Amino acid sequence: MLAIFQRRSWLLAAAVAATLCLGACSGFSDRTRGALAAVTPYKVEVVQGNFVSKEQVAALKPGMSRQQVREILGTSLLNDVFHANRWDYVFTIRRQGVEPQERHLTVFFNGELMDRFVGDEMPSEEEFVATLDTRKKTGKVPPLEATEDELKKFAPAKDGKADASASATTVPPLPAAYPPLEAAR
């Protein structure tokens, strides 16, 4: 009898807790939800597989040996025991603030020589790095050229002698010969 009472009281407590939780959810307004969406927890960056660039794919030619393909693309992520003549290169990346990326490349061999490859359109290394940059762009590019007035600051003295301020920062002359890096045997 005591066991039945304890079980019923536990079920009653669970029902009350569920009701309170559901009631609390209805108290969120759009403003509250917006504030909660702005405060997002850190999400772990997940990078898996081999990144294969457009330049690497362009270097692949039919008739290459397995070793040559491995030198260009690296060791494949998936080596299927049932398909020994096929290497799969899979790359996925998930970062906070960046659209998830997933790319596939499959290389087929005929014996020890590469026969063909199929896969997704690969980005160049420069395009890939640009997609990883999550910093906000200011749109303002600093000037990369020095004006004539700025260059005059660094011009050497005309009489061949450095002024007093430059002599304080001059580098001492290098020795005529350096000692050997390793001791003579």
Side-chain angles (χ1 to χ4, degrees):
M1 185 76 133
L2 184 62
I4 294 173
F5 177 72
Q6 287 176 340
R7 183 172 181 207
R8 284 186 182 170
S9 62
W10 183 84
L11 288 173
L12 179 64
V16 169
T19 304
L20 289 174
C21 287
L22 290 174
C25 289
S26 66
F28 283 114
S29 66
D30 289 336
R31 178 188 282 174
T32 310
R33 285 190 185 97
L36 289 175
V39 180
T40 58
Y42 175 75
K43 294 180 184 175
V44 177
E45 179 177 313
V46 179
V47 179
Q48 294 178 320
N50 308 69
F51 171 71
V52 178
S53 68
K54 184 185 296 186
E55 294 85 1
Q56 289 172 302
V57 172
L60 293 176
K61 304 290 182 228
M64 291 180 133
S65 69
R66 289 178 185 255
Q67 181 61 33
Q68 290 172 318
V69 172
R70 188 176 291 119
E71 288 173 2
I72 293 172
L73 301 178
T75 304
S76 66
L77 182 65
L78 300 172
N79 286 331
D80 191 350
V81 177
F82 299 107
H83 301 100
N85 290 330
R86 170 183 170 158
W87 289 354
D88 291 297
Y89 292 86
V90 180
F91 175 75
T92 59
I93 183 170
R94 289 179 182 82
R95 291 183 68 199
Q96 189 168 353
V98 177
E99 190 71 27
Q101 301 177 33
E102 185 170 327
R103 293 190 174 80
H104 303 270
L105 179 72
T106 304
V107 180
F108 296 94
F109 292 92
N110 187 1
E112 287 299 310
L113 301 178
M114 185 184 86
D115 185 34
R116 61 188 166 90
F117 60 89
V118 294
D120 298 332
E121 181 71 25
M122 301 297 173
S124 68
E125 291 179 15
E126 185 176 323
E127 293 168 344
F128 177 68
V129 170
T131 62
L132 297 179
D133 188 11
T134 59
R135 296 174 292 170
K136 293 183 180 176
K137 309 287 190 267
T138 60
K140 193 175 186 182
V141 178
L144 299 178
E145 292 183 4
T147 63
E148 290 295 326
D149 294 332
E150 292 171 338
L151 290 175
K152 287 179 185 177
K153 294 177 189 176
F154 302 103
K158 292 184 181 180
D159 61 353
K161 296 179 183 177
D163 60 2
S165 64
S167 64
T169 60
T170 57
V171 179
L174 297 175
Y178 290 100
L181 294 176
E182 294 181 4
R185 295 180 189 199

